[in-house]
Amino acid sequence: MKSVEFSTTTTLPATPGQVFEHLADPTNHVGLSPLVVEVRDIRHEPGAVRFTAVERFVFGPLRHDNVIEVVLRLGDGSITGDVVSPGGVRVAYGYDIAAVPGGARVVDHYRLSAPFGLLRFSMGQAKKVQAARGRELARRFAA
């Protein structure tokens, strides 16, 4: 199985604490990724949050809801997570949140592994999601 890694950086007019709290709350993930249409079964644990998310893929008139289990590990200035999707697609991701003049910098990092036939499609979708997430965070934290 091949793996790829990529990241984006977004600067927001908010404190690192505000950004961390926003990303650590699973209910805020609906719409943060354009694919995530539902979050349910939220379970809080020491240092982590687990939940079920529903990703919706639309292919013309066809629709597929992909139900995934997500874990967010909450660290000091970082949130990391893992997702295992049907078809053997695996995503390890993280947000590193740091103070910068005027706000917070968020580095959104992905490591994606997928079977040969799914890698290109999965990577394309993940990059679109990542770019949209940066735009949506900027919109949510607009001054």
Side-chain angles (χ1 to χ4, degrees):
M1 193 170 339
K2 286 195 104 175
S3 294
V4 292
E5 293 190 42
F6 45 94
S7 63
T8 60
T9 301
T10 305
T11 302
L12 303 170
T15 68
Q18 290 170 315
V19 175
F20 182 92
E21 290 301 318
H22 191 79
L23 291 171
D25 182 350
T27 61
N28 290 328
H29 288 244
V30 173
L32 189 57
S33 160
L35 298 177
V36 176
V37 296
E38 182 184 352
V39 169
R40 60 182 183 237
D41 304 324
I42 298 169
R43 299 162 317 271
H44 294 272
E45 302 172 357
V49 181
R50 294 178 184 276
F51 60 97
T52 302
V54 178
E55 294 178 318
R56 180 160 294 150
F57 292 90
V58 178
F59 307 98
L62 302 176
R63 178 179 99 179
H64 172 70
D65 285 352
N66 188 35
V67 178
I68 56 174
E69 290 300 314
V70 180
V71 59
L72 299 177
R73 287 182 294 286
L74 311 176
D76 185 24
S78 69
I79 298 171
T80 59
D82 298 295
V83 174
V84 178
S85 290
V89 177
R90 289 169 170 43
V91 179
Y93 61 92
Y95 309 107
D96 289 316
I97 306 161
V100 295
R105 181 189 68 233
V106 181
V107 178
D108 184 347
H109 181 81
Y110 270 71
R111 185 175 64 246
L112 183 141
S113 302
F116 175 74
L118 288 176
L119 184 63
R120 185 178 174 130
F121 172 78
S122 299
M123 183 175 65
Q125 290 296 309
K127 285 185 174 187
K128 286 178 190 175
V129 164
Q130 195 176 54
R133 183 171 28 251
R135 288 189 303 272
E136 179 62 12
L137 280 170
R139 187 193 68 76
R140 291 181 184 188
F141 284 99

